[in-house]
Amino acid sequence: MLGPQVDAEAKRTARVLAALSTHAGPVERTLALRQAATAAGELVAELADLAPAVVGEGLPAESTSQSFFRVREGELSDQQAALHGVLVIHRGLEDLCDAPLSGSDLALEVAGMRRSVLDLTGAAPGAGHGSVPPVAVPEAGAGSSLESVWSARWLIGHQVHVLFNVCAAVAVADAAHHLRLGDGDAALTRLADATVYVRGFPAAMAHASTIPADYYMAAIRHTMAPPSVDVPLSGRQHRGYKLFRAAMKDLLSVVPDSYEHLAARAPELAEARGALLEADIVDGERHVTLAYSMVHLRRSIAQKPEGPDNAVAELRLMRHRRAAQYASLIRFGDHYIADAVAGLRHS
């Protein structure tokens, strides 16, 4: 309960995000994004009036990844969690005004941002898209150099990804909790929320990657490996993502049934679980193609020189393992991969 002003601004921000024209022409789309960024900025201001933000750089980083991506972890009140989450959304929207992200990815990222606003503030979503209250949109500021924009974008997109990871972990954990209590309706709601976030995972990564691959290779990639940092950066260091993976494991311990068995007794739950698992597989698939677009056939900076695979091959194996695990749990499972993985385990 963060007060009526926060509630009103959160609802307005959610409505602006819901109505955003993700596939409009470039001028209309940029104007819509500036309007959304302005609305999110006003929500930030309302939250900051309650208490100022924690100075993140004053908190110790728990990993090289946290230090590099300007992410910190700590106990926060509801107000501080909402403020810091909306600050991430605000920065993301400001950057999206100029980022050449596809309309389909923009729609998924904005949907995740909207869901975050509602979850972080506790605001009710309200009815439909309706008419969006007017927001005074400021003129675009003086442009920074493209190189500084690209470097910032790499961090901003990853911070949005981290926010989605944490929110998804909470939503999946909530769903598992409701299932244990026998509250099927509440579980379905939180599974749907989690699916919005997981669909936003690759969209946020695509946002971070809307920079030239040549610039990434020349100016960014080497800063994520020794001697620039103590240890090479790796997805394994992202605690938010590990929390999400742990929550998914717990969820499947609560509902381990095959798709057919679950659909026979709880068809809505089978479909909701399936949608989440499909989104998780697609996230793995998109990670493969995004890595290929940035590093082509090079090794990951976290791989040992004597390893047999490059970055893309290693990510593809992760996708295959995930698809094999989920094959019997979703309606259109990848049974070819499941059979192949099972054969390798028995050989």
Side-chain angles (χ1 to χ4, degrees):
M1 301 298 292
L2 300 177
Q5 289 300 112
V6 168
D7 188 68
E9 290 296 340
K11 287 178 178 176
R12 178 166 73 160
T13 301
R15 287 199 299 274
V16 172
L17 290 170
L20 200 149
S21 301
T22 57
H23 289 71
V27 174
E28 295 85 354
R29 173 170 131 157
T30 300
L31 181 61
L33 282 163
R34 284 186 185 155
Q35 185 182 36
T38 300
E42 292 178 0
L43 175 56
V44 166
E46 287 294 341
L47 286 162
D49 279 347
L50 300 178
V54 174
V55 179
E57 294 297 322
L59 301 177
E62 297 184 2
S63 69
T64 303
S65 175
Q66 283 191 358
S67 179
F68 182 90
F69 288 110
R70 312 294 195 272
V71 173
R72 296 294 187 272
E73 185 175 328
E75 288 291 329
L76 296 176
S77 66
D78 289 347
Q79 178 267 341
Q80 283 290 304
L83 175 55
H84 284 275
V86 177
L87 278 166
V88 171
I89 293 167
H90 182 227
R91 287 192 295 270
L93 288 167
E94 287 191 318
D95 185 66
L96 283 169
C97 291
D98 300 309
L101 190 64
S102 72
S104 56
D105 276 330
L106 180 60
L108 294 173
E109 186 172 1
V110 166
M113 289 176 167
R114 176 181 179 274
R115 186 68 253 165
S116 297
V117 166
L118 296 172
D119 278 354
L120 289 165
T121 63
H129 294 183
S131 60
V132 177
V135 176
V137 179
E139 293 293 325
S144 304
S145 70
L146 276 175
E147 288 78 8
S148 64
V149 170
W150 292 335
S151 293
R153 181 170 297 153
W154 184 248
L155 301 181
I156 290 168
H158 276 84
Q159 289 179 351
V160 174
H161 187 261
V162 169
L163 175 65
F164 287 176
N165 287 172
V166 174
C167 289
V170 173
V172 173
D174 285 349
H177 175 69
H178 291 311
L179 287 170
R180 287 190 170 99
L181 295 179
D183 190 345
D185 289 342
L188 290 175
T189 297
R190 293 305 273 157
L191 285 173
D193 294 343
T195 303
V196 171
Y197 290 125
V198 178
R199 288 173 177 162
F201 288 1
M205 290 304 297
H207 174 184
S209 302
T210 53
I211 61 177
D214 289 346
Y215 179 78
Y216 169 75
M217 292 300 301
I220 296 179
R221 194 171 194 250
H222 70 87
T223 67
M224 299 191 294
S228 298
V229 292
D230 294 336
V231 296
L233 268 63
S234 163
R236 298 181 183 90
Q237 296 174 12
H238 293 302
R239 189 161 185 265
Y241 192 62
K242 289 193 284 188
L243 288 172
F244 168 69
R245 294 252 61 92
M248 291 290 283
K249 183 177 180 180
D250 182 54
L251 173 69
L252 295 183
S253 74
V254 179
V255 277
D257 320 54
S258 70
Y259 174 82
E260 288 76 12
H261 288 160
L262 187 58
R265 67 175 177 83
E268 289 183 300
L269 178 58
E271 292 300 325
R273 185 191 66 174
L276 175 61
L277 299 183
E278 289 279 12
D280 198 24
I281 294 172
V282 171
D283 176 46
E285 293 169 345
R286 290 289 305 280
H287 206 157
V288 173
T289 56
L290 282 169
Y292 181 79
S293 70
M294 300 301 283
V295 303
H296 196 42
L297 299 179
R298 296 177 179 86
R299 290 180 181 275
S300 161
I301 57 175
Q303 287 179 295
K304 295 181 179 179
E306 66 273 14
D309 297 321
N310 66 354
V312 168
E314 185 167 306
L315 289 167
R316 192 176 286 128
L317 285 174
M318 292 169 62
R319 179 270 170 200
H320 290 336
R321 286 194 290 268
R322 195 173 300 170
Q325 178 190 0
Y326 296 165
S328 66
L329 306 178
I330 58 180
R331 188 177 181 186
F332 303 108
D334 192 341
H335 296 288
Y336 291 104
I337 287 295
D339 291 345
V341 170
L344 288 173
R345 285 173 178 160
H346 290 96
S347 63

